Amino acid sequence: MSESNKVLDTSAITIANAIELGTEIVMGIVGVQVGSQLDDVPMSKSTVTSIVGNRLHALINSRKLK
Amino acid sequence: MSKIVNEANRIANELAESKVFISAVPGTPLADVCNSVLGAPIIYNKNTPSAVELTQDRLDGYDVENTPARLTKLREYADVGITAVNSHLKFTRNTVSPVIKALIENFERVKATHSEVAKEYKVVTDVVPEPLCDSVVLEYLETKYPNGASNNVPKRPSKTRLSLGQDVTVENLFDLLKMGSESVDSTIKTWINRIGVDKAIAIYRGVFTETGVSTNYESVVNGGLDDLLILHLFANSLFDNPPPNTTKYSLVEYNEAVGDMRAITGFKINALLQNKETLTRSNLLVTGKDLNTVYVDKTVYANYLEQGGTDVALLGTIVSPKGYRFLNEILENKDRLADDFIAFTKLSSVEESLRNSEVNKASMKEALISTIGANWDKCYGHKYPGMTNTNFDIPEYKKQLELIKIIVSDIPTNAFEQLPHLCTTLVCDIIYPDTGAKLILAGIDRAVSKNNNIDLDQAALISTIEYILEYVFDQLVIN
């Protein structure tokens, strides 16, 4: 694999791990709340993954120029 | 895992188009997890590939899903993150939030003690008490106290404050004001309800008990028709029906004191009524004024309005040095009086605004210090364990006081319009700058302001997710 491909792959894999780490923590903390207090807000792991991915992307975009 | 790979693939592609690449901050949990997949850290090369070169096959080639080392590390670090974030949430909820709530309450309490009652300018018409419009009452007064307008003034009571051993309450008030005629008593009730039962209770307590504070015999007999008539009715009722437990005075002493009060108030009521007619005939418009109220004769006032007079011009008599009181002179000068009043209120509002800002800042400083003192353990217990709130003579606390002075003096004037937000910022910046409380609470505020129908639990959930993402984001390097 070329060096340049590695850079892009590193980026994707870092983001993948960041999303997964974020998803695990969110599920660990709010999973109980979702099940008990917020029954009307269905939050599957897949939903949380989307939320975490989108918000992480937004955070990177908003701060990439700083 | 494929969902995460897809998300990551999409984001990495989009970022690569802007020549933005992501890696993990060395030494962080995220770097450790990534290294378990990627092996040695990557050396960056700015000659980046195009986004289209990244394919699902190549990502899958790392066998992300099935790397046991990565999964183990990820779960371990997620547990550490869960514990840390939970602890911050708990600290914010149980420690920081009560201090913010205490600061809001303390600020409002302190400010109330520093603020004067807001000035509200008004014109009040002299209204003759309803019972004095009743022919039965008028006849009674004219028959019993016929020399109201003469110099034959009844003598001052030898005792102007009695202690009758009987208090007045809302329940027995109207029994103590009765004249004995059903229709008159009903009129008395209507009148007292209009002017306020508190006023009648204050007069009774100020003259017939030792508990009254601000009202006394002198203030009543020098007051208006309402005050005089209330005292007259009390004295009239008490003269005929002495309280059963009044043993402090002999019957002669009691009858003389209460009888004299009844006589002098009856006389004064008659005198005021006759004088009032004379003054109305002479077109006296302004019958009295204080700092923010102009009292006017009802009949002359109606005439004044008919002839184009305004309330603003009447309020101008408060600030005018001319002392205008009669209808014609106020009508002749109404434009100038109105201009004077408007200029005065503009000046007052600038002064008021400046003064309000100073009062706000001084109150906030005092409220912060008192909140810290009363919540020492919550504020500094985590920083200085074992130290009590009786020992503020420590360098750290003195530094905090200096910080309070600087931060409070820089608060913008309009920040006090959003007090909860301001108190949250102050408490987090001054007392808890090294915690995640500000991020968590600001996230709740933001979620509430962005979503109209959201409840607090949902706002807290959104804020928690954002807080967790900050924790993850801090482990990323943007290249």
Side-chain angles (χ1 to χ4, degrees):
Chain A
M1 185 181 292
S2 71
E3 192 71 14
S4 58
N5 279 349
K6 267 193 173 180
V7 174
L8 185 53
D9 292 350
T10 298
S11 195
I13 286 170
T14 306
I15 292 168
N17 280 305
I19 293 174
E20 196 172 8
L21 182 61
T23 301
E24 288 294 324
I25 299 175
V26 170
M27 291 303 286
I29 286 173
V30 306
V32 179
Q33 289 182 38
V34 171
S36 59
Q37 297 172 21
L38 300 167
D39 290 338
D40 54 335
V41 184
M43 292 259 285
S44 63
K45 190 166 180 176
S46 167
T47 308
V48 173
T49 298
S50 292
I51 293 172
V52 169
N54 287 334
R55 299 220 173 200
L56 196 63
H57 192 183
L59 264 180
I60 294 168
N61 273 333
S62 70
R63 299 190 195 173
K64 67 187 176 191
L65 297 176
K66 288 180 184 172
Chain B
M1 187 67 202
S2 62
K3 166 128 184 150
I4 291 175
V5 170
N6 289 338
E7 285 284 326
N9 195 3
R10 179 180 62 79
I11 296 168
N13 266 312
E14 282 184 32
L15 291 172
E17 284 173 4
S18 314
K19 300 198 185 311
V20 173
F21 298 91
I22 305 297
S23 61
V25 176
T28 59
L30 186 63
D32 199 15
V33 175
C34 290
N35 290 342
S36 69
V37 178
L38 294 163
I42 302 299
I43 299 162
Y44 289 100
N45 182 342
K46 289 295 174 190
N47 298 321
T48 54
S50 72
V52 291
E53 286 181 54
L54 184 70
T55 64
Q56 184 68 46
D57 289 346
R58 288 215 339 277
L59 261 182
D60 287 347
Y62 284 106
D63 199 12
V64 170
E65 192 170 10
N66 300 318
T67 307
R70 188 193 72 91
L71 281 178
T72 309
K73 281 183 188 296
L74 194 118
R75 299 235 162 95
E76 273 175 22
Y77 288 130
D79 284 344
V80 171
I82 290 165
T83 307
V85 175
N86 261 335
S87 137
H88 294 172
L89 290 173
K90 196 174 162 192
F91 182 74
T92 303
R93 187 171 52 240
N94 298 339
T95 304
V96 182
S97 290
V99 173
I100 293 168
K101 191 167 171 259
L103 178 61
I104 294 170
E105 287 169 3
N106 277 338
F107 172 78
E108 283 170 344
R109 181 183 53 76
V110 173
K111 195 186 169 188
T113 64
H114 286 320
S115 303
E116 291 171 10
V117 176
K119 278 185 184 167
E120 188 188 327
Y121 296 96
K122 53 186 186 285
V123 174
V124 174
T125 52
D126 277 345
V127 178
V128 175
E130 288 87 334
L132 295 180
C133 301
D134 188 305
S135 58
V136 175
V137 179
L138 286 176
E139 196 181 326
Y140 150 83
L141 284 169
E142 280 163 14
T143 311
K144 270 197 123 175
Y145 310 101
N147 299 317
S150 76
N151 290 328
N152 187 16
V153 183
K155 71 180 173 68
R156 178 186 161 84
S158 55
K159 289 184 180 12
T160 55
R161 183 158 204 162
L162 301 173
S163 178
L164 299 185
Q166 168 188 277
D167 196 13
V168 66
T169 61
V170 176
E171 285 73 33
N172 69 357
L173 173 67
F174 292 107
D175 286 338
L176 287 164
L177 290 168
K178 270 184 182 171
M179 286 194 82
S181 151
E182 203 173 305
S183 71
V184 173
D185 290 342
S186 165
T187 309
I188 289 171
K189 204 168 183 177
T190 308
W191 161 60
I192 292 290
N193 282 327
R194 176 175 63 77
I195 62 171
V197 292
D198 289 350
K199 185 182 181 76
I201 289 174
I203 289 175
Y204 181 92
R205 288 183 178 158
V207 179
F208 299 110
T209 75
E210 288 174 343
T211 59
V213 180
S214 56
T215 306
N216 57 34
Y217 172 82
E218 301 300 338
S219 69
V220 174
V221 293
N222 293 313
L225 279 169
D226 284 333
D227 288 14
L228 283 166
L229 184 58
I230 290 169
L231 181 53
H232 181 81
L233 293 174
F234 277 138
N236 190 47
S237 161
L238 288 166
F239 189 83
D240 294 335
N241 307 291
N245 299 323
T246 304
T247 54
K248 204 169 178 178
Y249 312 100
S250 69
L251 188 61
V252 174
E253 279 178 319
Y254 178 86
N255 282 343
E256 194 179 334
V258 178
D260 286 348
M261 283 183 194
R262 182 171 67 166
I264 201 159
T265 48
F267 172 85
K268 284 207 165 210
I269 291 167
N270 245 343
L272 276 180
L273 282 175
Q274 289 180 24
N275 193 30
K276 195 168 168 44
E277 281 175 22
T278 310
L279 292 173
T280 301
R281 276 198 300 274
S282 68
N283 277 330
L284 180 78
L285 176 55
V286 176
T287 57
K289 58 193 174 190
D290 56 32
L291 287 173
N292 58 347
T293 309
V294 178
Y295 298 92
V296 293
D297 181 282
K298 192 181 175 186
T299 312
V300 183
Y301 178 61
N303 198 359
Y304 167 76
L305 293 179
E306 259 180 35
Q307 294 183 54
T310 62
D311 281 356
V312 181
L314 274 173
L315 293 171
T317 63
I318 295 176
V319 292
S320 167
K322 300 283 185 185
Y324 297 133
R325 297 178 71 196
F326 289 89
L327 175 69
N328 288 344
E329 59 188 8
I330 293 173
L331 278 174
E332 277 165 22
N333 295 287
K334 67 182 167 65
D335 293 339
R336 179 180 293 179
L337 284 168
D339 289 346
D340 285 353
F341 181 71
I342 290 165
F344 171 78
T345 50
K346 276 184 185 159
L347 191 64
S348 295
S349 94
V350 172
E351 282 173 352
E352 184 65 22
S353 162
L354 286 172
R355 205 184 68 82
N356 196 36
S357 172
E358 283 166 19
V359 167
N360 274 338
K361 288 183 180 181
S363 303
M364 185 54 84
K365 208 180 292 176
E366 197 177 323
L368 267 166
I369 291 168
S370 109
T371 303
I372 291 171
N375 297 277
W376 178 265
D377 287 343
K378 281 191 167 69
C379 294
Y380 296 116
H382 64 296
K383 265 190 185 170
Y384 315 117
M387 187 167 284
T388 67
N389 63 356
T390 54
N391 179 13
F392 292 163
D393 196 24
I394 54 169
E396 289 83 357
Y397 182 66
K398 286 181 177 171
K399 253 189 242 170
Q400 290 294 91
L401 290 185
E402 281 306 308
L403 187 64
I404 288 172
K405 277 185 202 164
I406 293 165
I407 291 183
V408 170
S409 63
D410 283 344
I411 298 174
T413 305
N414 59 0
F416 287 92
E417 289 164 16
Q418 292 180 315
L419 189 61
H421 177 74
L422 174 64
C423 289
T424 301
T425 307
L426 289 173
V427 166
C428 291
D429 286 350
I430 294 171
I431 305 170
Y432 306 107
D434 307 324
T435 72
K438 189 174 179 181
L439 268 178
I440 294 166
L441 294 170
I444 294 176
D445 266 1
R446 208 167 35 246
V448 170
S449 63
K450 275 186 187 169
N451 305 280
N452 287 336
N453 300 320
I454 202 167
D455 67 26
L456 210 53
D457 281 341
Q458 288 167 318
L461 176 65
I462 292 171
S463 175
T464 304
I465 292 174
E466 284 180 355
Y467 185 66
I468 292 165
L469 283 169
E470 287 287 342
Y471 167 77
V472 175
F473 181 80
D474 282 347
Q475 301 177 49
L476 297 179
V477 179
I478 303 175
N479 299 287

